[in-house]
């Protein structure tokens, strides 16, 4: 290797790049928080989804990649040692090599750009039109239906086969569950 190639390689090592951190199960939020508290630049893409809890729909944040997050480091100036012992962190992803391999900046930039864009609220709803559901309470308990649409935040329209015809029925969303 010539002197100019060595200097170029050293210059490339000094440029901050994005790397992937594998987190312990269900601890990506904890890992992101602890790494950020240590001064690392972290990107933990999340999305808002509706989950049914205690019979009510709630919006919750879930990681886009459940066991992974991104960290921006440079090979020379960054302190890599505390990362592995940080709560929630399992390891830095190495792709079979001894040294971590950086992720392309374009990939992370795309995730940053698209992740910050406003999403259509209906893309994250708990039930989707045409989905098979089961009624869990009330006079129609244990009957199978087809989810038609949301009507506000707490109500839903379902299609129920009764008397050899599909009947539209409005009911609380909390009385529905996905059919397996």
């Amino acid at each position: 290797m010539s002197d100019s190639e060595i200097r170029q390689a050293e210059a490339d090592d000094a440029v901050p790049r994005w790397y992937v951190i594998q987190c312990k199960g269900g601890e990506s939020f904890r890992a992101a928080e602890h790494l950020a508290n240590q001064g690392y630049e972290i990107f933990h893409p999340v999305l808002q989804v509706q989950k049914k809890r205690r019979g009510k729909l709630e919006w919750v944040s879930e990681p886009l990649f459940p066991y992974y997050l991104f960290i921006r480091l440079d090979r020379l100036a960054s302190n890599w040692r505390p990362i592995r012992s940080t709560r929630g962190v399992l390891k830095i992803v190495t792709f079979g090599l001894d040294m971590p391999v950086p992720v392309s900046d374009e990939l992370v930039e795309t995730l940053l750009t698209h992740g910050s864009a406003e999403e259509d609220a209906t893309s994250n709803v708990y039930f989707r039109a045409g989905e098979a559901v089961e009624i869990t309470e009330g006079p129609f308990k244990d009957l199978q239906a087809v989810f038609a649409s949301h009507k506000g935040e707490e109500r839903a329209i379902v299609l129920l086969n009764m008397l050899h015809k599909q009947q539209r029925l409005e009911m609380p969303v909390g009385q529905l569950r996905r059919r397996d």
Side-chain angles (χ1 to χ4, degrees), residues 1-2 7 18 38 45 57-58 74 94 110 116 128 139 152 160:
M1 229 182 196
S2 70
R7 279 192 295 272
W18 288 103
Q38 295 175 54
L57 287 177
E58 295 179 5
D74 80 49
T94 59
T110 301
S116 63
R128 299 193 187 284
L160 189 62

Side-chain angles (χ1 to χ4, degrees), residues 142-161:
D142 297 329
L143 293 179
Q144 312 299 317
V146 175
F147 184 83
S149 65
H150 286 278
K151 185 171 183 180
E153 290 185 27
E154 299 291 323
R155 309 280 298 163
I157 309 261
V158 296
L159 303 174
L160 189 62
N161 280 323

Side-chain angles (χ1 to χ4, degrees), residues 37-133:
N37 288 342
Q38 295 175 54
Y40 292 105
E41 185 180 349
I42 300 298
F43 174 52
H44 186 226
V46 297
L47 41 98
Q48 298 296 313
V49 296
Q50 281 187 316
K51 293 280 184 164
K52 195 171 179 182
R53 293 191 178 156
R54 295 181 298 273
K56 290 191 154 215
L57 287 177
E58 295 179 5
W59 287 98
V60 296
S61 294
E62 284 194 351
L64 183 59
F65 307 108
Y67 297 96
Y68 300 94
L69 56 90
F70 299 94
I71 186 168
R72 191 172 176 100
L73 302 164
D74 80 49
R75 286 198 186 282
L76 301 178
S78 296
N79 186 0
W80 294 59
R81 289 191 181 271
I83 295 171
R84 192 162 177 268
S85 61
T86 300
R87 289 187 73 179
V89 172
L90 187 62
K91 65 181 181 177
I92 298 176
V93 176
T94 59
F95 298 111
L97 305 172
D98 291 338
M99 292 295 296
V101 178
V103 176
S104 78
D105 291 335
E106 293 79 25
L107 170 67
V108 176
E109 288 300 320
T110 301
L111 289 170
L112 280 165
T113 304
H114 287 54
S116 63
E118 286 294 319
E119 294 184 27
D120 179 15
T122 60
S123 67
N124 292 322
V125 294
Y126 186 73
F127 296 110
R128 299 193 187 284
E131 186 174 20
V133 295

